[in-house]
Amino acid sequence: MERYNPTKIEEKWQKIWETEQAFRAEENGAEKMYLAEMFPYPSGAGLHVGHVRNFSIVDVLTRFYAQNGKNVLRPFGYDTFGLPAENYAIKTGISPAEATKTNINNFRKQAKRLGFYIDWNREINTSDPEYYRWTQWCFLQLFKKGLAYQKESYQWWCPNDQTVLANEQVENGHCWRCGTEVEKKKMKQWFFKITAYADELLEEIDQLDWPEKIKTMQKNWIGRSEGANVKFKVKDQEDTIDIFTTRLDTICGATFLVLAPEHPKIPDLITKDTEEEVKNYCAAAIKKSEIERQENKEKTGVFTGSFAINPVTKEEIPIWVSDYVLINYGDGAVMAVPGHDERDFAFASKYQLEIKTVVKPVELNNQSEAHDGDALQFFHDRGILLNSGKYNNLTSKEAESQILSDLGEAVANKKVTYRMRDWLISRQRYWGCPIPIAYDKDGQPHAIPEDQLPVVLPEVSDYRPDKTGRSALAKAEDWLKVTIDGEEMIRETDTLDGYACSSWYLWRYASPHSTSTAWDQDAVKYWEPLDIYCGADHAVAHLLYIRFWCKFFADQGYLPFREPVKKLLYNGYINAPDGKKMSKSKGNVIDPLDVIDSGYGADTLRTYELFIGPYNEDAAWSTTAIGGVYRFLNRCFNLAINQQNNRLHSGTPTQLIRHKTIKKVTEDIANTNFNTA
Ligand code: ANZ
């Protein structure tokens, strides 16, 4: 009897699929189904078993919908700009473009050996000038509408290598390459104004067919906070300091102000006596990461030497600096209410600052003394006011609106703050999409005219950023000069973060060869939005950015929908047999091609990865279980061969089993259970 020989079967069919272009998608009158995985970064290590799980899930769904008569589109592409290729180039001198080409060829070969249903005619590569020309076009649309803008911001800086470092290149506060302690350096950076869409991004989350976990993460990331902005006058100065509070009701308990160490007004507040200490404190704090600063540890801070006037109590309150206040949130300064805020309480206790109780729980309303001196039992909720003069006995809510109107618009205003920041998009790096901007003599930015796109990355011999912190592009002297409207200008040497390239690729897939537009209107109308997206990463960054761009381009009339992804599947990771993360250094990586070539074949590998556990949970690789899957496929094969030989007719028990099986598989796939598939 014929034996199950996956090598022979797979080779035969993969060849047929290739010559017949069996998975080519074309627009027709049928109902469409568009599916994609998050496209991979083609690293030198090749595809790994984690990719295989992700791609296999999409593959099952694609084949399932195709067999159900839908007109399916399942494209593939590569997210190729980024630091690994540049670091590799710095080490080896091999150009990132060269290395990327080699890696893509390898990825494609591997994906084909895995037998995926992919329309290879739609392959895209974000570092191809024909692609990034349109990434540049997208940037210019945002720039024209004021949603791409420049602002000073702190960057990691290695004083030894004289170079800007990405977050990933800072290891425990030291440079990844030379080990020198890193510093922060203020530099002008490009930002996308994602906050302009904060409300809409938040409001439309609930209607998405996405995992609740991801939706919650996005909500928390956006972090909408309603409160008030209050101006505190600085004693003996004309100047005021703005603070953001969500608890205006507690203002009579505000016994000091705290500014972030980066706050621009600090130099005007320090005195001869405090100058040195404050400057040292700020310099040290700026070096710490935000995560470090928000950790629950002992609070530190310094007194500036100046006082502010509490606008309600008219009391003089000291102005301090501490790193628990973040510059990028609210106004970068807080009114500290140690009677009701834990962080302020810890700070006040340490530096012996006044602690006042000004709110008590509603149920304590009739008790004259809410606060028994045991400050640890303090109350953080809203309630009834006390120790607050004319506002005593009002509810927090009543007090807030009363205080707001008493202070008047010149002093206090309602304000909404978002935890989400604008998206820092520029990188002082060579291997990225060049930002299509040039500067005139006065340093003003100008858009490169659209008919001059793409701004192509020039070849350079040294990929390292230069000593001033600019990318290696600064060394391409001829490339730097450009004439716009008869004026000589100098090109931007920053490139775009890779997240910009992946913010619109799902629309490019609809018309990947278009040379006249980023995406063809009719094509996006037919294929988009994406019906199913599958990935195991990027819960907030990428998955928020595509939503933001979608809304923006919908507003500009380029997209006929406002949400890019209908259904999201978030799959788990595949770990090593010991449950640990697979990594080259631990030597526990499973290479998919090794599994295939050992005789198991691609179908066994794919089936095994679908069978390994619920798709959305992490799973550990098992070398024994994969053998079981192989034996199972072997039995399926024999069953099929027997069936063919016996030519069983309808109405037999086998036919019944077949129908039952189809029903079960159909229901399982509808419920995203892939193990029976
Ligand atoms: C006084 C107060 C009293 C506050 C109280 C809280 C409780 P969410 O809800 O996260 O938005 N805050 C404001 N700006 C800050 C900054 N840049 N860095 C650190 N903390 C900051 O938090 C808003 C509260 O966080 C604000 O309200 C402010 O403290 C603090 F019983 O003002 B609150």
Side-chain angles (χ1 to χ4, degrees):
M1 198 179 80
E2 198 180 343
R3 285 207 47 206
Y4 176 50
N5 181 346
T7 314
K8 207 174 107 198
I9 297 173
E10 288 169 11
E11 206 182 276
K12 172 183 158 187
W13 285 101
Q14 285 168 18
K15 224 175 252 156
I16 293 172
W17 293 337
E18 178 101 31
T19 44
E20 289 187 357
Q21 301 217 17
F23 308 134
R24 200 161 168 156
E26 246 138 57
E27 284 142 56
N28 59 30
E31 201 186 327
K32 67 96 182 181
M33 186 74 192
Y34 172 23
L35 311 100
E37 52 269 292
M38 291 180 183
F39 66 166
Y41 176 82
S43 77
L47 278 176
H48 55 73
V49 288
H51 289 122
V52 177
R53 187 184 206 190
N54 185 212
F55 299 174
S56 296
I57 292 168
V58 178
D59 212 58
V60 167
L61 293 168
T62 307
R63 288 170 185 274
F64 174 76
Y65 287 113
Q67 283 169 1
N68 273 287
K70 295 263 171 72
N71 186 24
V72 297
L73 165 59
R74 196 277 188 97
F76 201 71
Y78 311 95
D79 186 17
T80 52
F81 276 133
L83 215 48
E86 178 164 320
N87 287 343
Y88 183 69
I90 292 171
K91 263 188 209 146
T92 62
I94 297 170
S95 96
E98 250 334 282
T100 299
K101 214 164 123 191
T102 311
N103 294 348
I104 285 183
N105 286 338
N106 187 36
F107 260 62
R108 188 189 300 112
K109 196 181 89 198
Q110 290 182 306
K112 287 192 176 178
R113 290 278 323 270
L114 280 151
F116 293 128
Y117 184 121
I118 287 170
D119 178 356
W120 288 106
N121 187 44
R122 290 177 190 254
E123 204 184 30
I124 58 175
N125 161 12
T126 59
S127 62
D128 178 347
E130 273 311 303
Y131 181 90
Y132 68 68
R133 157 190 193 162
W134 299 110
T135 306
Q136 292 172 340
W137 177 84
C138 291
F139 175 93
L140 290 180
Q141 308 316 305
L142 287 153
F143 178 69
K144 280 188 216 156
K145 294 287 167 190
L147 294 185
Y149 68 95
Q150 284 179 295
K151 189 176 78 177
E152 293 250 317
S153 119
Y154 284 95
Q155 294 305 302
W156 293 114
W157 174 258
C158 172
N160 180 46
D161 289 349
Q162 297 276 301
T163 170
V164 189
L165 298 173
N167 279 335
E168 313 83 285
Q169 294 178 315
V170 178
E171 294 166 356
N172 293 325
H174 296 263
C175 171
W176 69 295
R177 207 179 297 131
C178 68
T180 309
E181 195 176 337
V182 298
E183 298 170 355
K184 281 263 180 99
K185 192 174 164 131
K186 218 173 189 183
M187 301 180 89
K188 222 173 191 184
Q189 300 284 336
W190 285 96
F191 289 83
F192 287 148
K193 205 175 173 109
I194 187 170
T195 51
Y197 283 91
D199 276 327
E200 198 190 330
L201 287 168
L202 198 61
E203 278 156 21
E204 287 177 6
I205 287 178
D206 284 326
Q207 75 189 44
L208 298 175
D209 184 4
W210 287 21
E212 281 310 316
K213 181 179 84 173
I214 309 296
K215 294 205 236 181
T216 306
M217 281 169 84
Q218 292 211 345
K219 282 183 194 166
N220 292 342
W221 182 264
I222 297 168
R224 188 188 147 97
S225 204
E226 281 179 35
N229 171 267
V230 184
K231 287 187 190 319
F232 279 67
K233 204 184 146 328
V234 181
K235 189 191 162 201
D236 301 330
Q237 284 188 28
E238 283 303 301
D239 222 354
T240 55
I241 290 172
D242 284 44
I243 63 96
F244 172 71
T245 179
T246 46
R247 294 295 305 276
L248 189 59
D249 58 319
T250 64
I251 194 164
C252 293
T255 52
F256 54 101
L257 295 188
V258 188
L259 272 51
E262 300 89 343
H263 200 286
K265 291 201 170 151
I266 292 175
D268 305 328
L269 301 172
I270 49 182
T271 62
K272 259 204 223 83
D273 292 342
T274 62
E275 181 172 1
E276 198 185 332
E277 199 190 355
V278 175
K279 279 191 173 158
N280 288 343
Y281 181 82
C282 294
I286 288 167
K287 275 195 199 170
K288 294 185 199 162
S289 73
E290 246 178 49
I291 297 168
E292 241 178 291
R293 282 168 56 168
Q294 281 177 298
E295 271 168 10
N296 216 350
K297 41 135 201 158
E298 194 180 320
K299 301 274 172 289
T300 59
V302 278
F303 174 49
T304 58
S306 290
F307 292 83
I309 311 293
N310 181 320
V312 175
T313 63
K314 308 291 179 204
E315 280 164 14
E316 284 178 18
I317 60 175
I319 306 175
W320 285 67
V321 175
S322 173
D323 66 3
Y324 75 88
V325 178
L326 304 174
I327 188 66
N328 289 324
Y329 189 65
D331 294 308
V334 304
M335 64 173 203
V337 182
H340 302 279
D341 180 283
E342 264 121 345
R343 291 167 309 171
D344 299 342
F345 174 76
F347 194 82
S349 308
K350 178 166 173 187
Y351 295 106
Q352 280 146 32
L353 298 161
E354 190 189 354
I355 300 172
K356 246 170 102 176
T357 301
V358 290
V359 184
K360 62 185 173 182
V362 176
E363 52 282 11
L364 290 185
N365 203 11
N366 296 327
Q367 295 174 17
S368 55
E369 198 50 47
H371 186 246
D372 58 3
D374 181 5
L376 270 177
Q377 284 181 2
F378 75 66
F379 176 63
H380 14 221
D381 287 338
R382 288 179 155 70
I384 304 288
L385 269 70
L386 70 158
N387 296 329
S388 299
K390 67 183 260 209
Y391 306 109
N392 282 349
N393 300 318
L394 293 182
T395 63
S396 289
K397 202 166 166 224
E398 289 162 349
E400 273 167 350
S401 59
Q402 193 62 51
I403 294 168
L404 200 64
S405 77
D406 287 353
L407 288 176
E409 275 175 28
V411 179
N413 290 283
K414 274 194 180 164
K415 175 170 169 160
V416 175
T417 290
Y418 299 92
R419 202 148 281 284
M420 177 171 73
R421 316 279 156 72
D422 278 342
W423 165 17
L424 198 169
I425 194 66
S426 49
R427 298 284 180 269
Q428 290 69 50
R429 294 281 147 201
Y430 168 78
W431 189 235
C433 169
I435 296 180
I437 289 286
Y439 297 94
D440 63 22
K441 284 192 293 295
D442 304 321
Q444 287 306 306
H446 295 259
I448 301 288
E450 281 176 25
D451 60 10
Q452 289 180 31
L453 300 182
V455 177
V456 178
L457 264 185
E459 256 313 326
V460 294
S461 51
D462 178 5
Y463 302 99
R464 241 175 304 210
D466 82 356
K467 302 281 178 215
T468 64
R470 293 187 305 171
S471 78
L473 291 175
K475 297 176 211 164
E477 281 171 20
D478 291 341
W479 177 86
L480 275 182
K481 291 188 203 111
V482 57
T483 307
I484 297 175
D485 295 335
E487 198 181 333
E488 265 231 347
M489 300 196 193
I490 297 292
R491 288 190 196 276
E492 173 62 85
T493 55
D494 284 359
T495 55
L496 291 173
D497 175 26
Y499 278 125
C501 310
S502 55
S503 289
W504 68 281
Y505 81 110
L506 294 171
W507 312 321
R508 183 68 181 171
Y509 277 144
S511 52
H513 308 297
S514 174
T515 51
S516 55
T517 50
W519 52 84
D520 180 85
Q521 286 297 316
D522 290 336
V524 288
K525 211 167 176 181
Y526 180 75
W527 290 115
E528 313 274 350
L530 183 64
D531 294 285
I532 300 180
Y533 199 24
C534 182
D537 203 355
H538 308 301
V540 282
H542 168 63
L543 287 171
L544 259 180
Y545 299 155
I546 53 172
R547 298 184 59 220
F548 159 46
W549 280 37
C550 184
K551 292 173 193 311
F552 170 75
F553 284 107
D555 280 343
Q556 307 312 310
Y558 290 109
L559 291 175
F561 50 90
R562 301 191 74 82
E563 284 290 344
V565 176
K566 283 196 201 160
K567 185 180 178 77
L568 176 73
L569 301 179
Y570 207 69
N571 64 275
Y573 287 108
I574 298 225
N575 294 321
D578 57 5
K580 294 207 178 95
K581 220 183 139 190
M582 285 189 196
S583 88
K584 252 186 167 174
S585 61
K586 288 197 203 104
N588 60 2
V589 175
I590 307 280
D591 182 336
L593 282 200
D594 283 351
V595 177
I596 294 177
D597 289 336
S598 67
Y600 280 136
D603 283 336
T604 295
L605 171 61
R606 292 157 35 128
T607 309
Y608 169 64
E609 292 210 26
L610 294 165
F611 188 73
I612 200 166
Y615 82 96
N616 51 357
E617 287 174 20
D618 290 353
W621 188 271
S622 155
T623 317
T624 45
I626 191 165
V629 172
Y630 175 77
R631 288 190 294 279
F632 169 74
L633 289 186
N634 208 357
R635 280 213 295 280
C636 288
F637 179 84
N638 291 339
L639 198 66
I641 294 292
N642 282 339
Q643 173 109 344
Q644 203 177 33
N645 293 343
N646 298 341
R647 294 251 163 259
L648 290 170
H649 303 291
S650 68
T652 62
T654 318
Q655 189 74 346
L656 188 65
I657 291 170
R658 186 190 296 155
H659 286 306
K660 271 188 172 169
T661 308
I662 290 174
K663 183 166 182 278
K664 171 90 172 106
V665 170
T666 305
E667 285 166 0
D668 275 1
I669 291 181
N671 291 323
T672 49
N673 287 330
F674 298 106
N675 55 342
T676 51

